[in-house]
Amino acid sequence: MATLSSRAVTLARVPDGTPSAEDFAVTTLDVPTMAAGQVTLAVDVLSLDPYIRSTLGGRHLGDAPVGPGDVVPGRSLATVTASADDSVPVGTLVLAETGWREIAVLPAAAVTPVPRRAGVPASAALGALGMPGLTAYAAHVRHLKPRVGDTVVISSATGGVGAVAGQLATVAGARAVAIVGTEDKAAIAVDQLGYAAAVIRGRDGWVEELRKACPDGIDAYLHMGDQATLDVVMEQLAVGARVSLCGLMDQYNGGAPTTVRAGAVMTARAEVQGMVVYDHHDLVAEQAARLGALIADGRVLLLEDRYVGLDQAPEAFARLMSGRNQGKVVVQVSPA
């Protein structure tokens, strides 16, 4: 019997700073023979997420480091094409840690069937109904806790986490303010995601623009930006503010350790918490029910930055890690 092979993306070299497409290689690898209790998967849609950057040559919260020649890790939406376990029959749509590849063989116990929801695209399982959405939802209900009339600021406001978090704040009756990197993203934030205002970080006068957008101070802040953004926001906190430290984009790419202005925290009597999504898996069912309903009735928009073809994954990831994405980044691996 001929050996089955498929394309995969491996790490060509450990990135120095922000990753580039040249740090990766598209290659062809043999597919392992399926054994008892395993399933063969055809990857449909691959999710690209910022946490992957910290695994490249390093370690992410206990995950094994990825070195040159290793397949890049990643979660995907996939279809079971062969099964040696009756609990996961052929044709089942699943979530799985396949890595960046076209075909994967995994234990059936390691895949999660994806339920079909009316009015909800299947790829939502990688975004609003997946790990990015859980991050946003957990930060919303456990850290930010917005009340009607609060001002909630979201950095990286049009990304996979930020887009969901901003919309949740608006649904809760808060006034959501976006911090973004470009004019295009500012327009997306306001026109598509429903933010009340958007401020472009780093632009001349942006600190005062943020102050004008938040005249009564910032009641809640979800941080996924750089040190400069964190410093500016911390100096504009309202008394009793809640801050969720969710992502450190500059550190992912080798920047200096992030610091928090203790004086600003004390002045605002603020509550600052660190967000690690793995601590909040008890919210998965609640997240799926709540966000699924909001997507189905049109109150939460799925914003995707979609690329077609596995060979586009390196460039898509480079764009993500340099802040050039517009929404949750996914790669359509198999034909739609």
Side-chain angles (χ1 to χ4, degrees), residues 21-224:
E22 291 71 31
D23 294 325
F24 304 90
V26 180
T27 187
T28 299
L29 301 175
D30 289 343
V31 176
T33 301
M34 189 175 65
Q38 292 186 320
V39 291
T40 300
L41 307 176
V43 173
D44 299 320
V45 184
L46 175 66
S47 174
L48 303 188
D49 299 286
Y51 81 88
I52 294 170
R53 173 64 183 90
S54 57
T55 71
L56 305 180
R59 189 174 294 275
H60 174 77
L61 298 175
D63 292 340
V66 179
D70 292 337
V71 175
V72 181
R75 178 169 296 186
S76 73
L77 192 66
T79 300
V80 177
T81 58
S83 177
D85 188 306
D86 292 341
S87 67
V88 187
V90 170
T92 304
L93 186 67
V94 299
L95 277 178
E97 298 293 338
T98 59
W100 294 11
R101 64 177 94 224
E102 292 176 329
I103 299 173
V105 175
L106 296 174
V111 307
T112 303
V114 176
R116 307 282 187 172
R117 293 180 171 90
V120 181
S123 60
L126 298 173
L129 299 185
M131 184 169 59
L134 178 60
T135 304
Y137 187 78
H140 174 79
V141 300
R142 289 182 168 165
H143 294 176
L144 305 180
K145 296 176 283 191
R147 298 176 287 264
V148 173
D150 276 356
T151 295
V152 179
V153 173
I154 311 290
S155 60
S156 299
T158 62
V161 174
V164 175
Q167 292 180 92
L168 284 173
T170 299
V171 168
R175 183 172 177 276
V177 175
I179 297 178
V180 295
T182 67
E183 292 278 4
D184 287 347
K185 289 183 179 182
I188 289 170
V190 174
D191 298 340
Q192 297 185 42
L193 299 176
Y195 282 93
V199 175
I200 301 172
R201 67 180 182 275
R203 186 169 68 176
D204 288 348
W206 83 277
V207 176
E208 185 57 30
E209 287 180 18
L210 182 63
R211 197 176 305 280
K212 289 179 180 178
C214 309
D216 298 319
I218 295 167
D219 298 298
Y221 173 54
L222 182 62
H223 178 71
M224 294 175 287

